[in-house]
Amino acid sequence: MLLSRAALAALMVLSAMLNACAAVRSPAPPRIALLAAFEGRYRAAGYDALYAARLALADGGIAVDLLPVDDGGSAQTAADRAAALADDPDTIIVLLVGQAAAQHEVQHALGDLPALIVGNAAASSVRDRVFQLSNRALPTRITLSPTADIVQAASAPAPFVADERLALPGFSALRPDLEGVTIVSAAALPTLDYTNRIQASDPFAPPPGLLSMLVYDAVRIAIPAAYSADRAQAARMLAATQYFGLNGRIRFSDGWWADAPLYTYQYTERGELIAVRP
């Protein structure tokens, strides 16, 4: 289920009414929100993250509610929806995936809500409770404007270096000549086993994209923190992360993934991403 801002607010009101009317009820599981694009030209990134998150929760074996929220396609709408999530007491952690969701105004709108930014190194963390699953050196490697969308990038003169924005299938479909396009990321390409698991998890799941395994690891990191007593404790647990997953060892230093890998990718003539030497 994907929620707009109005639907998200209505859900929160309904939840509060039900809670007030229930004499006895079991405690609701903690909630992890996924703020990403589920409509428009970047929707492939949102659904890629959604199937990865669902698989991670299934593998985690612990009851956690996943709330996918569409970012609305801009930093302003994403910030509005982040503010609504900040007002929801059941939401303990939010994953920010995509260019709009990772922007600074969105991070500020989250208030005391801890967040994990998956990829998108160009939009660096600006709050203590925001943790970046990316390599700290990546912004210095990127030569494409951080504000360029995939349509603008499709006509940009090569060569240039970009982040995961250009790993979406929509970009390769827009640009006939992919020579000279380089993508740098801390995310590893999905393995065959992982790809098979994702596609077996849902009949509508497409082959996973570049950030899929990193979203999976982010959710596995978030699950124990979501059971914290409050958001402050959840943030402290994220800061103290010592996790070994599909992308190797993950721990944080000053909000960044410490010792994060740095991969370089280019496109083949068939439009497929392959790893190359830096």
Side-chain angles (χ1 to χ4, degrees):
M1 179 176 60
L2 308 177
L3 300 178
S4 66
R5 181 185 180 189
L8 177 61
L11 176 62
M12 293 175 182
V13 171
L14 178 60
S15 177
M17 292 173 61
L18 291 174
N19 292 345
C21 295
V24 177
R25 69 179 185 92
S26 301
R31 179 175 295 152
I32 296 174
L34 171 60
L35 184 60
F38 294 101
E39 299 176 5
R41 64 169 60 108
Y42 295 108
R43 67 193 302 269
Y47 284 100
D48 195 32
L50 179 62
Y51 290 116
R54 286 175 174 171
L55 180 61
L57 289 174
D59 288 348
I62 302 175
V64 176
D65 183 25
L66 178 66
L67 180 63
V69 179
D70 178 58
D71 63 20
S74 72
Q76 183 56 59
T77 54
D80 290 344
R81 291 161 196 189
L85 289 170
D87 290 336
D88 175 26
D90 291 331
T91 299
I92 307 301
I93 296 170
V94 60
L95 270 63
L96 306 176
V97 180
Q99 188 174 8
Q103 295 304 308
H104 292 172
E105 52 264 56
V106 180
Q107 298 179 40
H108 287 300
L110 292 172
D112 66 345
L113 186 60
L116 288 163
I117 299 177
V118 184
N120 300 286
S124 59
S125 57
V126 293
R127 293 176 54 245
D128 289 342
R129 296 188 180 188
V130 176
F131 302 89
Q132 186 100 24
L133 275 169
S134 188
N135 189 302
R136 194 169 196 162
L138 274 174
T140 65
R141 298 284 302 275
I142 296 169
T143 61
L144 183 71
S145 168
T147 61
D149 61 25
I150 59 174
V151 174
Q152 293 166 328
S155 58
F160 59 80
V161 181
D163 61 10
E164 301 91 354
R165 285 171 291 165
L166 304 192
L168 296 174
F171 172 73
S172 57
L174 287 171
R175 188 179 180 103
D177 183 5
L178 294 166
E179 186 175 356
V181 176
T182 300
I183 295 172
V184 289
S185 177
L189 282 172
T191 63
L192 178 59
D193 177 68
Y194 178 82
T195 298
N196 291 338
R197 294 195 65 218
I198 283 287
Q199 296 199 272
S201 69
D202 191 287
F204 298 102
L210 180 57
L211 288 179
S212 183
M213 292 205 307
L214 201 51
V215 172
Y216 177 98
D217 280 345
V219 173
R220 294 300 299 269
I221 289 169
I223 289 172
Y227 271 89
S228 301
D230 53 37
R231 291 174 175 177
Q233 184 184 17
R236 289 192 292 270
M237 288 189 66
L238 292 177
T241 293
Q242 295 288 339
Y243 172 84
F244 194 90
L246 300 179
N247 290 270
R249 184 189 183 196
I250 297 176
R251 62 184 182 89
F252 295 106
S253 175
D254 297 327
W256 287 86
W257 179 0
D259 306 316
L262 183 59
Y263 300 106
T264 302
Y265 300 105
Q266 291 181 343
Y267 281 102
T268 67
E269 292 182 356
R270 298 175 59 184
E272 299 172 341
L273 274 184
I274 58 170
V276 297
R277 291 185 178 274

